[in-house]
Amino acid sequence: MDVLSESRLSTELQELYLQNKEWMSHVLFLEDENRFFQKLFGQKLFVIGKSHTAKQINLISESLASLQEKTVNLKKLVIKHQHLLEGILKDAEHIVGINLIEEHATITSEVQELLLSDRLMKSKLFLMVEGN
């Protein structure tokens, strides 16, 4: 590999690493949001129970649990990917394959999906808490 190609690859890997750091920021935000949702739901459960069915309450509860599980799994994946990128950046002889790009694209998609799920959950929970 010539110097120009190595330099360009290094720059692109650094960009991937920075994007990974951004993902971690999103995941940490989602963890905080989930704790807030769980607390809000628990505090308002009595009020919610007066105007909503057990089925509606269980659906929200299950959705909160699912969101939390997805967040935990995504955090593990982001950490693993970060370590992989760190290893590649430290080891100039490391071979970069298409699987790195595919994994990166998959994580990007998962972060976007989880952020969307978070927004939908927030809307549903707030509507329920507000009594609508």
Side-chain angles (χ1 to χ4, degrees):
M1 191 179 291
D2 62 28
V3 175
L4 180 61
S5 296
E6 286 178 12
S7 174
R8 182 172 176 204
L9 178 60
S10 177
T11 301
E12 290 174 3
L13 287 171
Q14 289 173 20
E15 288 175 15
L16 294 178
Y17 181 79
L18 291 175
Q19 187 175 18
N20 200 84
K21 289 288 207 178
E22 183 179 335
W23 292 339
M24 185 55 74
S25 175
H26 289 308
V27 169
L28 294 174
F29 169 78
L30 290 170
E31 282 182 331
D32 289 342
E33 282 264 295
N34 196 272
R35 278 192 297 276
F36 171 76
F37 293 160
Q38 293 281 0
K39 188 173 184 177
L40 177 65
F41 186 66
Q43 289 175 342
K44 300 294 183 176
L45 190 56
F46 182 73
V47 174
I48 292 169
K50 291 181 179 181
S51 57
H52 294 84
T53 66
K55 183 177 179 180
Q56 291 171 317
I57 292 170
N58 286 338
L59 183 62
I60 289 289
S61 181
E62 289 169 5
S63 295
L64 284 170
S66 175
L67 188 63
Q68 181 179 17
E69 181 181 341
K70 288 177 183 177
T71 302
V72 167
N73 291 336
L74 183 58
K75 184 177 183 179
K76 290 176 185 175
L77 186 59
V78 169
I79 289 169
K80 178 183 167 206
H81 192 69
Q82 181 176 339
H83 291 309
L84 174 65
L85 289 170
E86 288 170 350
I88 293 170
L89 287 168
K90 289 178 184 175
D91 181 9
E93 299 299 315
H94 197 87
I95 306 290
V96 177
I98 192 72
N99 60 341
L100 175 68
I101 304 303
E102 290 172 348
E103 182 177 307
H104 199 81
T106 299
I107 296 172
T108 298
S109 177
E110 288 185 30
V111 168
Q112 291 170 346
E113 287 176 27
L114 197 55
L115 287 169
L116 177 60
S117 295
D118 179 75
R119 283 193 292 275
L120 292 173
M121 173 56 63
K122 188 184 313 184
S123 295
K124 289 177 185 177
L125 183 58
F126 286 169
L127 283 173
M128 186 176 269
V129 168
E130 291 172 349
N132 294 328

